[in-house]
């Protein structure tokens, strides 16, 4: 026997201990951040939802065009991440004029966390096990919210997949789950995701007043902050983060608000409110 054999055996045993101490993920969760059309009022939402699911199935790639496009993005301005009760897109009112006829009836954008969840060959899971936590670093935590396990269901926005005989996605033998009990076991899940944004509200306002309402909400909290979304299935988790930062310099904001006061826009000041949650 090689006189170094005991050392080799000890080294091999130590390696096995190290390997065993790092548990393998049963489900790998991947998150892509994107600005979705406002689900509470935008006619393009269904198309955007479908493109987000398809994009996540293909590895999180940009899919589609126009207001229905799924485009992963990390850095956004506060104005771009606002939903409205009037017509807007990416923080601009009268979007049909600004972006083209396809955008005319949009109502803002919501920061959303698209999801891909893929199990290893030995651990199926169900969407009933999925939970979500959204955390904002702004001073008041206005965007914070959570969805407990059991809140999600299979549907057009959350597509469950059971692999066919080949044991992998694709190949024409997969079974797609879009309805039924949320306890159905699947091998993979692809979703447009949950999200939140602040809301700009201005009833019976002119276009100028609507833009002022967006700009005022966008001025909160006045400094960069982040919004992170985390999905969990069992002991496995995956996260994505938006970086929200003002583009204008502080002096520009000051001049803008002086202008609002001079033409009477200050009468339309609204306290920023969290938007309805997209689940």
């Amino acid at each position: 026997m090689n006189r170094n054999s005991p050392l080799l055996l000890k080294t091999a045993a130590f390696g096995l201990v190290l390997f065993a101490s790092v548990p393998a993920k049963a489900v790998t969760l991947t998150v892509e951040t994107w600005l979705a059309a406002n689900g509470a009022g935008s006619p393009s939402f269904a198309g955007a939802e479908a493109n987000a699911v398809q994009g996540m199935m293909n590895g999180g790639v940009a899919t589609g065009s126009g207001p229905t496009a799924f485009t992963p993005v990390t850095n956004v301005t506060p104005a771009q991440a606002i939903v409205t009760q009037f017509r807007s897109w990416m923080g601009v009112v009268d979007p049909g004029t600004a972006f083209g006829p396809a955008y005319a009836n949009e109502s803002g954008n919501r920061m959303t966390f698209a999801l891909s969840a893929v199990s290893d060959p030995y651990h199926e899971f169900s969407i009933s096990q999925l939970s979500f936590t959204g955390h904002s670093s702004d001073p008041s935590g206005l965007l914070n919210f959570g969805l407990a396990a059991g809140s999600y269901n299979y549907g057009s926005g959350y597509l469950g997949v059971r692999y066919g005989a080949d044991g992998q996605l694709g190949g024409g033998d997969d079974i797609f789950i879009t309805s039924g009990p949320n306890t159905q076991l699947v091998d993979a899940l692809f979703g447009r995701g949950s999200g939140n944004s602040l809301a700009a509200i201005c009833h019976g306002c002119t276009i100028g007043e609507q833009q002022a309402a967006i700009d005022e909400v966008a001025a909160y909290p006045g400094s960069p902050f982040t919004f992170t979304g985390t999905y969990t299935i069992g002991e496995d988790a995956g996260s994505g983060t938006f970086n929200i930062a003002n583009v204008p310099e502080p002096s520009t904001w000051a001049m803008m608000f002086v202008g609002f006061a001079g033409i009477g826009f200050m009468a339309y000041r609204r306290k920023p409110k969290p938007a309805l949650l997209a689940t």
Side-chain angles (χ1 to χ4, degrees):
M1 177 181 292
N2 189 319
R3 68 178 185 176
N4 292 324
S5 295
L7 177 60
L8 292 173
L9 289 173
K10 289 181 180 179
T11 302
F14 181 67
L16 288 173
V17 170
L18 283 179
F19 180 79
S21 67
V22 181
K25 284 191 173 183
V27 182
T28 299
L29 294 95
T30 303
V31 180
E32 295 288 349
T33 51
W34 68 298
L35 290 173
N38 180 9
S42 289
S44 69
F45 179 74
E49 178 180 70
N51 281 329
V53 171
Q54 188 63 45
M56 294 308 292
M57 286 185 69
N58 292 327
V61 299
T63 305
S65 61
T68 66
F70 166 68
T71 306
V73 61
T74 300
N75 300 318
V76 301
T77 68
Q80 291 173 330
I82 291 176
V83 294
T84 62
Q85 291 188 338
F86 45 83
R87 302 307 179 203
S88 72
W89 183 259
M90 295 291 179
V92 179
V93 299
D94 190 18
T97 299
F99 298 98
Y103 297 84
N105 295 312
E106 299 303 313
S107 55
N109 305 86
R110 190 183 308 276
M111 290 183 285
T112 305
F113 302 90
L115 168 70
S116 166
V118 180
S119 69
D120 69 21
Y122 308 103
H123 294 87
E124 292 181 317
F125 65 96
S126 73
I127 197 172
S128 68
Q129 298 170 265
L130 181 68
S131 62
F132 176 84
T133 301
H135 176 75
S136 175
S137 68
D138 67 283
S140 300
L142 291 182
L143 297 173
N144 294 350
F145 78 103
L147 295 168
S151 299
Y152 291 92
N153 293 286
Y154 298 111
S156 58
Y158 293 92
L159 178 66
V161 182
R162 287 207 298 264
Y163 299 155
D166 60 2
Q168 61 184 354
L169 181 66
D173 59 351
D174 299 321
I175 299 174
F176 298 102
I177 309 300
T178 59
S179 62
N182 65 2
T183 53
Q184 295 176 85
L185 295 177
V186 296
D187 296 294
L189 174 69
F190 304 99
R192 46 93 170 165
S194 297
N196 204 4
S197 282
L198 297 179
I201 302 170
C202 196
H203 299 295
C205 296
T206 66
I207 288 178
E209 292 163 350
Q210 291 171 353
Q211 189 64 61
I214 289 178
D215 294 339
E216 181 181 5
V217 173
Y220 170 85
S223 61
F225 66 101
T226 60
F227 183 36
T228 298
T230 301
Y231 293 98
T232 303
I233 295 177
E235 297 181 355
D236 300 319
S239 299
T241 298
F242 283 97
N243 299 311
I244 304 99
N246 291 303
V247 174
E249 296 295 330
S251 59
T252 305
W253 286 115
M255 291 176 63
M256 183 165 55
F257 281 111
V258 169
F260 293 164
I263 57 179
F265 284 160
M266 296 302 288
Y268 292 90
R269 291 181 63 85
R270 297 288 189 272
K271 181 180 179 181
K273 298 179 180 179
L276 295 176
L277 305 183
T279 59

